[in-house]
Amino acid sequence: MSWKPEQYATTYALLLSVITLAVDYVTGPYIHFPILFTVPVILAAWYHGWPRGGCLAVLLSILRFGLAWHWTLFTPWTIFADLANASICSIVLGMLAYFAAAAGREYRVLQQQARVLSGILPICGFCKKIRDSHGTWQVLEAYITSYSEAEFSHGICPHC
């Protein structure tokens, strides 16, 4: 069984969210690390799509607003400024989640389409058969068809 990152992406995104909020809380009301909120949002959106990434973006913005509301006694700005910042943060992180989900979806589609042959292929210089990993010789077309999604159509070139 191989390890797949998408199995644990939600766990890692939530763990990173908690760590980011903890760092934000420890540093107090005057030092902000908004760039750190992007990491769990991108992770959630990349592996699980826009709805989860968008929900995490809104949740992080609300929790950050809760921290800001907690600090209103210590800061010179008003609760309305904190509400505006939380709204902007939610919109920006939501857009980031949307684009990360689209990029992740496109990546998976391209990954499925690209089955690429790589390495050195032992080929007969005369008949052009290829030796596979079992030591048997296969016709070039059969080998390429079995190891990729390419198909062949045969014809005769003008020189022949």
Side-chain angles (χ1 to χ4, degrees):
M1 184 172 161
S2 65
W3 180 80
K4 294 182 181 177
E6 57 269 8
Q7 293 173 333
Y8 303 104
T10 302
T11 305
Y12 290 144
L14 292 175
L15 182 65
L16 286 171
S17 298
V18 169
I19 290 170
T20 302
L21 285 167
V23 167
D24 209 17
Y25 179 75
V26 168
T27 57
Y30 296 108
I31 300 173
H32 298 277
F33 291 102
I35 193 72
L36 295 180
F37 288 104
T38 62
V39 176
V41 169
I42 289 172
L43 187 63
W46 181 274
Y47 288 109
H48 297 293
W50 185 81
R52 283 195 188 175
C55 287
L56 187 59
V58 171
L59 179 66
L60 284 173
S61 299
I62 290 170
L63 292 174
R64 180 63 179 92
F65 175 72
L67 287 177
W69 192 11
H70 171 72
W71 289 320
T72 53
L73 299 174
F74 309 109
T75 58
W77 48 85
T78 66
I79 197 72
F80 296 111
D82 290 331
L83 184 60
N85 284 332
S87 300
I88 292 168
C89 183
S90 181
I91 291 168
V92 169
L93 287 176
M95 289 173 37
L96 182 67
Y98 176 78
F99 290 122
R105 189 173 46 251
E106 184 70 21
Y107 174 77
R108 285 185 287 282
V109 167
L110 291 175
Q111 199 174 28
Q112 288 175 350
Q113 289 177 353
R115 285 185 56 198
V116 178
L117 292 172
S118 62
I120 297 174
L121 297 176
I123 189 167
C124 174
F126 182 71
C127 68
K128 304 298 184 204
K129 287 185 180 178
I130 296 177
R131 186 178 67 230
D132 63 11
S133 59
H134 304 295
T136 58
W137 291 90
Q138 294 185 19
V139 178
L140 177 72
E141 293 90 344
Y143 183 85
I144 291 176
T145 302
S146 66
Y147 287 97
S148 72
E149 293 181 10
E151 295 181 15
F152 288 88
S153 69
H154 292 85
I156 299 175
C157 72
H159 298 291
C160 296

